[in-house]
Amino acid sequence: MASVCPDAWIAILQEISAAFCHSFLFSSCAAPCGEKNILVSLPRIGNAADMRIVTWNINSLRLRMPLLARLCQDTSPDLVCLQETKVPDALFPLADVRALGFEHVVFRGMKGYNGVAILSRQPVTVLEETPDWCEKGDCRHIAVRHGTGVNAIDVHDFYVPAGGDVPDPVENPKFAHKLAFVEEARAWFSARDMRRTVLVGDLNIAPLEQDVWSHKQLLRIVSHTPAETERLLAWQQTGFIDAMREFVPPDEKLYTWWSYRNRDWSASNRGRRLDHVWVTPDLRPALRGMEVLRAARDWEKPSDHVPVLIDIDG
DNA sequence: ATGGTAGAACGTCTA
C-alpha cells in the first residue's frame, strides 16, 4: 500500500466529514461562493442562441433516466453529452432517450464502467477517426459533427480516467493511465487543424486554484496535482479556450462536482471543477451564456456531478 | 494505516 502524505489525508477527511467542523466551514467559505442555483425553467441566455449544449457525468444513465428527463424539460438543450453512462450498447435505453426529443443518438458503452453518449435533436455524423486512447478499448470519447457546411460544429465528449487515489504514476497504474491519456489527447489535438470545435466532458482535473475549495490542501490530491493540471492546460492550449471561465473570472470559485462522501455537500461546499467546456477561439464571439446547474446536486438520487450548460450563437 | 458513499452487479472493482 502506498503512503500518502498527512496533508493529503487531512484534505480528504475534511472533504468528507463536514458535519464535525461547521464553524471552520462557515468562516472559510460562508456563502456558496457566488455560485447560482438554477431553479426550474431556464430561458435562453442572451439573444438568439442557436445551440445549447449540456454536458453531464450522469453516473448511470439507466438509473437516472428520470433526472435526464427533468434536465431536458428544464433547459431544452439541442445536444446532451453524457459521461459514465455505465451501460453496454446492447442495453442502451434508446427508445426512452428518443422519447425526450433526441432522435439522433450516438453512444459508446461497456459493462459496468465508463461510457459516453451524445443526444441530438438534429442529425449528427460520428467522427470516426478518433483513437483508441491508451489502447485500452475504454469507452471514454465520442465525437460528432452537428450541422453541415460553414455552420457545422464538431463536438467532442470526453470522460478522462479518474486516476485512483495515489498521485504517483510509479506506484499507481491508474494515475499513470490518467497522465498518459491526457498526454495522448494533447498530442492528437495538436496535430489537428481545428475550427468551430467544442470539447466537453468530465476531464477529472480541476486546473485552476479557484477550481477547488482549497488549492493548498488539494495540491497532493488526485485531480489537482501539478502533474495533472500542467498536462490538462497543455492539452487545452492545443487550440481551445476555457469557455466556462469566459463567464466566471478565474479568481472566483467554480465547481461542478461534490463528493458523495459528505454529510452536507452544500453547507461545506467542498467542490471541484472537474467538468469542462472548451471551444476553439473562432467560437469565442459566439458564446452567449454558461450555467453550472448546481441545483441538480439536490435532485433525488443525484449524480455527484452537476450538468454544465453552454449557449453558442449560430 | 485509515474511512466515508454510490453504482454495476452479486463479488469486488471503480469513482
Side-chain angles (χ1 to χ4, degrees):
Chain A
M1 176 62 182
S3 65
V4 176
C5 79
D7 281 352
W9 282 112
I10 288 166
I12 292 173
L13 288 167
Q14 287 181 342
E15 214 167 74
I16 66 182
S17 60
F20 303 110
C21 44
H22 271 292
S23 57
F24 171 74
L25 294 172
F26 283 107
S27 62
S28 67
C29 194
C33 302
E35 288 158 302
K36 290 174 286 186
N37 266 317
I38 305 305
L39 297 176
V40 186
S41 182
L42 199 67
R44 296 286 169 138
I45 302 162
N47 298 324
D50 290 327
M51 178 87 152
R52 171 168 287 179
I53 303 174
V54 170
T55 177
W56 190 21
N57 178 322
I58 194 170
N59 187 17
S60 174
L61 172 58
R62 286 175 291 177
L63 188 70
R64 278 183 247 289
M65 199 65 212
L67 300 192
L68 178 64
R70 177 171 179 181
L71 171 68
C72 294
Q73 275 182 349
D74 289 356
T75 66
S76 299
D78 299 293
L79 219 55
V80 180
C81 297
L82 300 174
Q83 306 88 36
E84 281 208 271
T85 54
K86 293 186 177 175
V87 57
D89 289 348
L91 299 177
F92 191 93
L94 185 56
D96 293 340
V97 167
R98 286 211 168 119
L100 297 178
F102 301 101
E103 187 63 30
H104 308 275
V105 187
V106 297
F107 44 87
R108 192 167 281 164
M110 57 197 287
K111 189 177 175 183
Y113 319 106
N114 308 331
V116 286
I118 299 179
L119 328 178
S120 177
R121 299 185 191 279
Q122 300 298 323
V124 292
T125 53
V126 177
L127 303 179
E128 296 285 4
E129 75 279 22
T130 54
D132 176 19
W133 303 101
C134 301
E135 295 174 342
K136 283 188 167 285
D138 282 351
C139 299
R140 297 182 176 276
H141 178 211
I142 193 163
V144 297
R145 176 160 296 170
H146 181 277
T148 55
V150 292
N151 289 323
I153 290 186
D154 287 355
V155 179
H156 292 267
D157 180 12
F158 270 97
Y159 175 54
V160 169
D165 288 331
V166 179
D168 179 338
V170 177
E171 293 189 39
N172 174 10
K174 290 186 212 165
F175 193 71
H177 175 216
K178 182 178 196 175
L179 297 183
F181 187 103
V182 175
E183 284 176 15
E184 219 175 285
R186 184 208 56 75
W188 191 75
F189 279 93
S190 72
R192 285 174 78 84
D193 180 24
M194 289 188 294
R195 292 167 36 239
R196 293 179 64 78
T197 299
V198 179
L199 186 155
V200 304
D202 175 6
L203 306 185
N204 263 318
I205 298 172
L208 307 182
E209 293 193 13
Q210 303 307 322
D211 290 340
V212 292
W213 59 273
S214 168
H215 169 62
K216 193 175 171 188
Q217 286 178 273
L218 290 178
L219 269 172
R220 301 190 65 159
I221 300 296
V222 171
S223 75
H224 194 60
T225 66
E228 296 165 89
T229 59
E230 286 164 10
R231 281 168 176 80
L232 189 76
L233 292 174
W235 176 11
Q236 185 184 104
Q237 285 156 15
T238 60
F240 295 103
I241 60 171
D242 181 343
M244 295 175 73
R245 286 300 186 182
E246 292 288 301
F247 295 94
V248 179
D251 62 349
E252 287 181 25
K253 293 288 188 192
L254 187 60
Y255 312 141
T256 65
W257 173 90
W258 293 262
S259 174
Y260 281 127
R261 307 172 187 177
N262 195 322
R263 300 255 172 98
D264 186 340
W265 72 274
S266 184
S268 59
N269 198 28
R270 295 197 154 131
R272 309 179 198 171
R273 185 170 68 119
L274 303 181
D275 303 273
H276 296 270
V277 179
W278 297 349
V279 302
T280 46
D282 57 347
L283 289 176
R284 189 200 305 260
L287 293 174
R288 285 293 173 272
M290 187 282 297
E291 292 287 359
V292 175
L293 302 175
R294 199 177 197 272
R297 190 61 180 76
D298 270 333
W299 288 350
E300 192 179 348
K301 297 277 284 177
S303 169
D304 46 355
H305 296 253
V306 298
V308 179
L309 176 156
I310 194 97
D311 278 342
I312 300 173
D313 233 353

